[in-house]
Amino acid sequence: MASRAWNPCSYLPRRLQIVASLTTFLLFCLLFLGTSSPDDPTTYVNSVPFGPELRTGAHQVVDRLPALPKVPYMAPPTWLNPFSSPAHTPPPEQANSSSGEARWYADFKWRNPFSSSTTLDEERAVLPPLVERPPVYTYFDAAGRRKDEKSRQAEQDLLQVWRRAWWAQGFKPVVLGKPEAMNNPLYRAVQGLELEAEMETELMRWLAWGNMGTGILANWLAIPMAAYDDAMLSFFRRGEYPLLVRYESLESGLFVGSKIWIEKAIKEAIANPSINTTKTFFEAVPPATFTVDKSNTAIAFYSTANLKAKYPSIREKLSSATQIADGLAMLPPLINAHLHSTWQNTFSTGIAILKPSPEKTTSLILPAIDLARNLSQCATSPIPASCPPNRPKCKPCVSSTHMPITVATVFRNTSTLFTIGTVPHPYTLISLLHSRSTLDVKFIRRETARDSWTLAATSELIGSGQSSFFRLPALKDAVASEYGRARSLWFTAERPPRGDSEKDAEELDWHFGFVIPREPLDDGRSVTPVPGPERRPPPPKDEFGDGPRPSSSDLKREIAFFEQARLFLQRSGRSSSSSLKKLAGGGGGKEEKAAVQTRGIVEAWNLADTEVWKFVRAWNARLRVERRGWEEEEEDFLGKGRFAKWVDRVI
């Protein structure tokens, strides 16, 4: 056997061999590489910089280095660490999802207590998906109409009344004209027919409807006059019309159907050999073309026959050739008054103004009290105490019996009670309750209750013992559900629905479907035996709720604190997330930083109250965006400008 080379470490165990080898290597380095023999050892020691000299030299080296480009931060790809947990990303921004500081995201998870769990963003509120409004069409051809200014203005006012009423009921009103009829491929077949004037208008109306497709065709004097959840209106809102239906009591005032049935009916009418002698469309088609519905609970048709039978004063003016314009001018205020009284009859219990914190919050509900008084008063009408055609047994509005107005400390889910809710920001509520213009962390944490507004408002609806987070879905349902939004109006205290500007008043008109009275009447036009020159009801007796009645000086002081809080929120807003990013980057002054931080602390301490406030703010903002977007689409058809459809065109 060959002898192996001698290795002294081979006689040691394996682990000791490794230790011995490392020890030998370190000793070798210390002996031969770690020593120096300068002539004067102190010279070498003194040449090594230390302390201030070392710092000065380091600064000089750094200052001489070229500036490095700023590289944006990029998150590492997930494939570098396949075992890491996935990160959630915020949902993308949706079209038309912001207005001012309000931002929202439409999703079916809108009833979840907190929007941030879906959006991963504290500033975006989750709203229910926007419900598609089924179209309702009317036909108006200015050619052949009366040319005097009074009649023209009355017709434009009637069209505006028609549009406003259908919009408030959840529909998308569209005014059609002859251009839509000419776009229908069947228009050429109608050109060669010699028709009566009434039948020609009827065919143009149907051709325009057929060009648009499935939907509702209504006369511009056919107005929805019922509660929002009426069975007939609910059927219309579904937007599914399997048959071509006409209503017996409405004559030719309203039809519903799909595009295929509309086209079939037009072809049958054109093929009728006796079409030249007929005056109505349903007389020119076979009886089986339509499904006739004898029930009508929701549509008031102000036809010539109904006007002559039910409203003698208008009948007399329409019968006179010189007073037709005066008769037409009476229709818009009459229909508006009927819409208003129908709404009042729907909410027989009255109007409730929500005031969960009865002490020191009267200034928050003053706009709601003014709105409730306007809603409960009687509208101006040329025929007082009259009823709409579809509701002959209505309860007319008279100044002797007004709608009850109450101030409620809790929200009540009653179908016959209309609620006006004012939601304050937590900062505003704390400022008023504690009469403080400035807040700090110590005071917020030790002296204020959490989510006091949410807990108080839902104390009867939910009961006690439940957390504020559990109560949020119920409040959101009261604001944005189909049932809730028809029986309540919610707004933030910092942006109340004031009627002092025409723009704000118009928003309320489109919400309710009628023009809300702006000022009290003082001409004494009331119905006998109703006395009194004033129709506007007084403020509610329990205006201050369960709290003490504040003096005029206390109320002025409360209003001053409220204005300070409102200005503070404006200064700390625009939106909070962008302000925080600005502050993180070093921007903003000391006051701005302190305001944003204080607002963030208050909102973090009152998560539920903040969620309700942001939800209501976003809800109202989206309503404004939706309506104004629709008005922009219909701008050329509003009777304005050169290309108006409601007036004669100059070609």
Side-chain angles (χ1 to χ4, degrees):
M1 183 176 64
S3 62
R4 61 181 182 180
W6 181 82
N7 182 4
C9 293
S10 61
Y11 297 96
L12 298 175
R14 185 68 175 175
R15 293 182 179 178
L16 291 179
Q17 291 181 19
I18 297 175
V19 173
S21 301
L22 290 175
T23 303
T24 304
F25 177 75
L26 291 175
L27 291 174
F28 178 82
C29 292
L30 291 174
L31 290 174
F32 296 98
L33 301 178
T35 60
S36 61
S37 57
D39 296 337
D40 188 2
T42 59
T43 303
Y44 177 78
V45 174
N46 294 334
S47 64
V48 177
F50 65 93
E53 296 180 358
L54 183 62
R55 289 195 298 269
T56 303
H59 285 303
Q60 292 177 356
V61 172
V62 173
D63 293 339
R64 293 176 182 176
L65 290 176
L68 297 176
K70 293 184 178 180
V71 180
Y73 172 78
M74 297 180 63
T78 55
W79 56 267
L80 288 178
N81 187 4
F83 300 102
S84 63
S85 59
H88 293 282
T89 58
E93 294 284 344
Q94 298 171 334
N96 299 324
S97 61
S98 64
S99 177
E101 295 183 17
R103 298 168 57 228
W104 58 87
Y105 178 75
D107 193 86
F108 287 103
K109 300 177 183 178
W110 63 276
R111 283 188 174 90
N112 287 354
F114 291 103
S115 300
S116 58
S117 62
T118 301
T119 62
L120 304 182
D121 184 352
E122 295 295 338
E123 294 303 317
R124 273 204 291 178
V126 179
L127 299 180
L130 197 63
V131 179
E132 184 178 357
R133 293 173 174 266
V136 53
Y137 304 104
T138 193
Y139 181 82
F140 184 84
D141 187 10
R145 311 296 302 184
R146 294 179 61 84
K147 305 300 181 182
D148 60 285
E149 185 62 28
K150 192 170 186 178
S151 298
R152 181 181 300 178
Q153 184 62 45
E155 290 174 347
Q156 293 186 17
D157 292 343
L158 285 170
L159 284 169
Q160 193 73 342
V161 169
W162 180 86
R163 295 169 72 248
R164 188 190 300 116
W166 281 101
W167 178 269
Q169 292 289 354
F171 297 89
K172 182 180 179 180
V174 180
V175 180
L176 306 178
K178 197 170 183 178
E180 284 82 10
M182 296 173 65
N183 286 338
N184 195 315
L186 298 174
Y187 176 74
R188 292 187 177 182
V190 179
Q191 283 183 302
L193 300 176
E194 296 181 1
L195 305 173
E196 297 283 344
E198 296 181 11
M199 187 60 191
E200 184 178 1
T201 303
E202 276 287 290
L203 268 181
M204 293 297 105
R205 179 186 176 204
W206 276 77
L207 287 172
W209 184 27
N211 178 69
M212 302 304 295
T214 302
I216 305 170
L217 178 64
N219 189 290
W220 46 283
L221 292 175
I223 311 295
M225 200 82 63
Y228 187 86
D229 56 356
D230 181 86
M232 187 175 181
L233 294 178
S234 299
F235 164 71
F236 288 165
R237 275 193 296 270
R238 285 196 288 270
E240 299 176 357
Y241 318 114
L243 301 173
L244 190 61
V245 182
R246 75 175 183 89
Y247 294 86
E248 186 176 29
S249 60
L250 297 178
E251 303 173 358
S252 60
L254 187 137
F255 303 93
V256 297
S258 58
K259 185 177 180 63
I260 185 172
W261 289 104
I262 298 169
E263 292 181 353
K264 181 180 179 181
I266 296 174
K267 292 178 181 179
E268 290 177 345
I270 296 174
N272 189 347
S274 60
I275 190 174
N276 297 336
T277 59
T278 57
K279 295 183 179 181
T280 59
F281 186 87
F282 57 84
E283 292 177 358
V285 297
T289 303
F290 291 101
T291 299
V292 181
D293 194 338
K294 296 183 180 181
S295 63
N296 172 36
T297 58
I299 307 299
F301 186 28
Y302 293 83
S303 61
T304 304
N306 285 333
L307 292 176
K308 291 182 178 180
K310 299 178 183 294
Y311 313 106
S313 58
I314 297 181
R315 176 188 60 198
E316 294 175 0
K317 294 184 180 298
L318 294 179
S319 301
S320 174
T322 59
Q323 294 183 327
I324 294 180
D326 296 334
L328 288 175
M330 294 172 66
L331 282 178
L334 176 66
I335 298 175
N336 186 78
H338 289 170
L339 286 166
H340 194 167
S341 63
T342 300
W343 181 87
Q344 292 176 341
N345 292 340
T346 302
F347 300 102
S348 56
T349 307
I351 303 174
I353 301 172
L354 190 60
K355 188 183 181 185
S357 302
E359 296 184 1
K360 299 183 180 181
T361 57
T362 302
S363 58
L364 299 180
I365 65 170
L366 291 179
I369 292 176
D370 289 339
L371 176 60
R373 294 177 65 190
N374 291 337
L375 287 171
S376 61
Q377 80 176 78
C378 299
T380 306
S381 175
I383 309 177
S386 61
C387 292
N390 66 319
R391 302 172 62 87
K393 296 182 179 180
C394 73
K395 184 180 179 182
C397 180
V398 291
S399 57
S400 61
T401 56
H402 298 289
M403 289 183 69
I405 302 176
T406 58
V407 177
T409 57
V410 294
F411 172 73
R412 292 185 174 91
N413 189 15
T414 305
S415 60
T416 57
L417 180 68
F418 188 84
T419 302
I420 302 178
T422 305
V423 183
H425 189 275
Y427 185 93
T428 302
L429 186 62
I430 293 174
S431 298
L432 293 179
L433 293 180
H434 298 275
S435 300
R436 292 176 64 101
S437 57
T438 58
L439 303 176
D440 54 61
V441 179
K442 182 179 179 181
F443 176 80
I444 295 170
R445 294 290 301 271
R446 297 185 179 182
E447 303 295 333
T448 65
R450 307 186 72 172
D451 301 323
S452 59
W453 190 93
T454 301
L455 292 172
T458 58
S459 60
E460 182 179 299
L461 184 67
I462 305 297
S464 59
Q466 298 292 344
S467 67
S468 56
F469 307 153
F470 181 82
R471 302 168 187 269
L472 286 175
L475 283 176
K476 291 184 176 183
D477 206 61
V479 175
S481 68
E482 185 176 9
Y483 177 88
R485 64 174 177 258
R487 291 169 173 81
S488 62
L489 175 66
W490 300 79
F491 53 89
T492 59
E494 294 72 21
R495 184 170 180 173
R498 300 187 182 275
D500 49 4
S501 67
E502 187 60 31
K503 190 174 183 180
D504 292 339
E506 186 180 3
E507 291 289 344
L508 293 174
D509 295 342
W510 285 86
H511 175 83
F512 289 98
F514 51 85
V515 177
I516 302 173
R518 307 286 196 262
E519 298 177 355
L521 297 175
D522 54 1
D523 56 2
R525 290 188 297 173
S526 58
V527 182
T528 305
V530 179
E534 187 102 357
R535 291 196 180 197
R536 194 175 195 229
K541 295 182 180 180
D542 56 346
E543 180 178 358
F544 307 100
D546 298 334
R549 185 181 185 90
S551 62
S552 58
S553 59
D554 291 339
L555 187 58
K556 290 181 180 178
R557 188 164 176 261
E558 181 184 319
I559 293 175
F561 279 114
F562 173 58
E563 289 298 323
Q564 291 178 4
R566 188 174 60 84
L567 293 175
F568 171 85
L569 293 175
Q570 290 180 354
R571 186 171 66 252
S572 62
R574 300 181 179 86
S575 89
S576 298
S577 60
S578 61
S579 300
L580 290 174
K581 291 179 181 178
K582 182 180 178 181
L583 296 179
K590 292 183 179 180
E591 294 184 359
E592 184 179 356
K593 291 181 180 179
V596 174
Q597 291 174 354
T598 302
R599 177 173 177 171
I601 293 169
V602 172
E603 292 180 351
W605 186 246
N606 300 272
L607 291 176
D609 284 1
T610 303
E611 177 71 18
V612 176
W613 183 83
K614 291 181 178 179
F615 185 86
V616 171
R617 180 184 64 170
W619 173 256
N620 289 329
R622 192 176 72 169
L623 291 178
R624 293 190 297 268
V625 169
E626 180 190 12
R627 192 183 69 82
R628 291 172 185 175
W630 165 72
E631 282 195 334
E632 291 178 1
E633 295 176 0
E634 297 290 315
E635 186 176 2
D636 291 339
F637 311 97
L638 301 182
K640 303 175 183 178
R642 180 178 176 182
F643 298 100
K645 275 196 167 185
W646 298 0
V647 295
D648 293 330
R649 295 188 180 186
V650 179
I651 301 178

